[in-house]
Amino acid sequence: MASVELRNLRKTYDKKNWAVDDVSLTIPDGELLALLGPSGCGKSSTMRMIAGLEELTSGEIYFDGQLINRVPPQKRNVAMVFETYALYPTLTVYENLAFPLRSAGWAKQDITKRVDEIVDILGVQEFLTHKPRELSSGQSQLVGLGRALMRQPNVFVMDEPISHLDTRLRSRMRSYIKRLHLDLGYTMLYVTHDQEEAMALADRIAIMERGKIVQAGTPQEIFHDPINMYVGGFVGEPPMNFLACQAERQNDTLSLSYKGHAIPLPGDTAATRQDIPRDVVVGVRPFYIDSAPAPSDRHTIPADVFVVEAMGDSAVISVNAEDTRLQVVTESHTTIRSGDTVWLGIDPAYMLLFDQVTGARL
Ligand code: ADP
Ligand code: MG
């Protein structure tokens, strides 16, 4: 296994746009890093450059401190799993697993030993004699994973490996991959556009936007401490609420309002922050807003209830506060109904402030 370091990695296909734009990132040995971002932001291009399947336009890639820019893909020993797993249709599962070792010229008894090892880890004993067409999509993907793992790789990269599976199978495969990582300790780069997958799986997440890494951090850091509105809005379901507000300073105390409705600030922010512009955006996750039937010191923002969605263990209330749609997560037995008027309160401890112009966290 190896650490991976990307230095100022760039890629252009058309000499006009940067598909990957100055990406620098270190993945320590044994870490599972998720590369997260919307379609087209440059995730696969980054991954393919690491695997050696794509030329770098500029920059450097190091495995364990060794520059590997000029090392051909087959010598990099990068295991890859893609969304479409290409198993050999005429070979059995066992033969599919043994194939990479046979092509590498392994001795027969070593092959048997290694295949048994991987079969054990994957738990695919029952269908070793099956052909790929006899497998479900989840089973095929397991075998695909297994085959990629046969030759103990330096680095294990996966590009949206479970995006095509149905929801239930996806969450099973997700915990499976996480466990695999814990058991094997490989350095893994996991590419996904699914924030929930990244949050659930990764030791660290690197969020990309238009070829650049916007923020890298643990799932907790990304979730609670986003550096801008893009990151804040990208992770979390239901997504973070954003409310365009005005900040005013009087007698050295900062106060905040949304269309004339005062919003209580955390005490230390009100007293000490000197750097807050007039136009700010309040970001707050739906879990950290609550509603009351009447106004109070805390519940200051009137809102009309648009719909209430019963989620079983909770309910999601969508409201219109003046002209902004917000979502509030509340307890499942709520008596609130469409058409009600409620008063919203934001938990000051979980309120984030952003610059309305740049979107940067304040
Ligand atoms: P992602 O995996 O995040 O969806 P990609 O790395 O596939 O993003 O693509 C990043 C950008 O590069 C996109 O604008 C895409 O259209 C472009 N791109 C990717 N691969 C090629 C290619 N082989 N030739 C030309 N343009 C490409
Ligand atoms: Mg892709």
Side-chain angles (χ1 to χ4, degrees):
M1 279 135 285
S3 64
V4 177
E5 188 186 347
L6 312 178
R7 264 192 224 161
N8 309 106
L9 207 59
R10 282 172 179 255
K11 178 71 187 175
T12 177
Y13 295 96
D14 57 10
K15 298 199 169 72
K16 290 202 297 272
N17 303 294
W18 291 110
V20 176
D21 189 0
D22 201 18
V23 163
S24 293
L25 186 66
T26 301
I27 312 170
D29 191 353
E31 181 174 88
L32 196 170
L33 180 116
L35 207 50
L36 174 67
S39 180
C41 73
K43 305 182 296 296
S44 295
S45 300
T46 303
M47 199 209 80
R48 290 203 306 266
M49 286 191 280
I50 294 171
L53 304 179
E54 199 76 70
E55 290 272 329
L56 282 64
T57 304
S58 64
E60 287 141 31
I61 301 177
Y62 298 85
F63 288 179
D64 271 344
Q66 302 273 88
L67 184 69
I68 53 118
N69 283 32
R70 307 215 172 281
V71 178
Q74 60 278 15
K75 294 242 170 84
R76 292 189 190 186
N77 197 14
V78 174
M80 276 174 293
V81 176
F82 299 97
E83 179 170 354
T84 49
Y85 37 83
L87 298 177
Y88 302 107
T90 57
L91 301 183
T92 63
V93 167
Y94 184 94
E95 290 302 324
N96 262 288
L97 290 173
F99 191 87
L101 304 184
R102 288 202 208 294
S103 355
W106 282 39
K108 197 158 181 196
Q109 66 270 30
D110 295 339
I111 295 179
T112 310
K113 186 158 169 279
R114 181 66 179 158
V115 173
D116 286 348
E117 232 170 73
I118 290 292
V119 164
D120 225 32
I121 293 171
L122 296 176
V124 294
Q125 291 86 348
E126 302 114 80
F127 42 90
L128 281 182
T129 56
H130 289 26
K131 296 277 175 61
R133 70 183 134 76
E134 298 170 89
L135 303 176
S136 70
S137 50
Q139 290 166 339
S140 309
Q141 193 61 333
L142 273 186
V143 177
L145 273 176
R147 201 177 56 184
L149 291 171
M150 292 314 293
R151 302 173 62 179
Q152 284 144 332
N154 280 328
V155 182
F156 192 14
V157 298
M158 301 192 231
D159 194 349
E160 316 243 7
I162 55 177
S163 300
H164 60 295
L165 303 177
D166 66 50
T167 315
R168 189 156 299 191
L169 186 55
R170 209 160 61 220
S171 77
R172 265 189 38 212
M173 286 297 291
R174 190 174 79 194
S175 41
Y176 191 86
I177 291 170
K178 181 154 189 165
R179 184 58 205 241
L180 202 66
H181 174 250
L182 291 174
D183 288 346
L184 296 173
Y186 290 150
T187 309
M188 287 194 186
L189 183 72
Y190 188 98
V191 167
T192 181
H193 66 273
D194 181 341
Q195 59 90 21
E196 195 185 315
E197 216 168 278
M199 290 291 289
L201 263 174
D203 298 322
R204 274 194 317 145
I205 298 174
I207 299 207
M208 287 188 80
E209 180 187 25
R210 280 180 270 120
K212 287 185 182 296
I213 290 181
V214 187
Q215 185 174 2
T218 64
Q220 289 292 330
E221 286 164 356
I222 296 284
F223 191 81
H224 289 292
D225 211 4
I227 70 156
N228 62 21
M229 287 173 68
Y230 175 79
V231 174
F234 202 87
V235 297
E237 182 56 40
M240 183 179 280
N241 294 299
F242 293 114
L243 207 52
C245 293
Q246 259 64 56
E248 253 157 313
R249 186 169 300 283
Q250 248 180 359
N251 307 329
D252 253 14
T253 301
L254 191 70
S255 64
L256 202 63
S257 65
Y258 171 63
K259 296 195 189 288
H261 311 293
I263 297 178
L265 274 167
D268 54 342
T269 304
T272 59
R273 293 292 298 263
Q274 302 294 324
D275 56 338
I276 307 289
R278 190 182 147 71
D279 294 324
V280 299
V281 173
V282 165
V284 62
R285 299 204 177 274
F287 195 73
Y288 302 122
I289 306 187
D290 70 333
S291 68
S296 73
D297 285 353
R298 211 167 108 62
H299 301 96
T300 55
I301 309 165
D304 299 322
V305 177
F306 183 61
V307 288
V308 180
E309 294 166 284
M311 308 302 285
D313 53 2
S314 63
V316 179
I317 308 175
S318 295
V319 302
N320 293 319
E322 307 283 355
D323 54 8
T324 306
R325 172 71 51 83
L326 302 173
Q327 285 182 304
V328 179
V329 172
T330 190
E331 43 105 20
S332 60
H333 298 294
T334 179
T335 54
I336 295 170
R337 294 289 170 261
S338 305
D340 289 356
T341 296
V342 294
W343 296 77
L344 304 177
I346 296 172
D347 185 343
Y350 291 96
M351 176 191 291
L352 304 177
L353 294 177
F354 300 96
D355 187 316
Q356 221 178 88
V357 180
T358 64
R361 177 83 172 281
L362 295 167

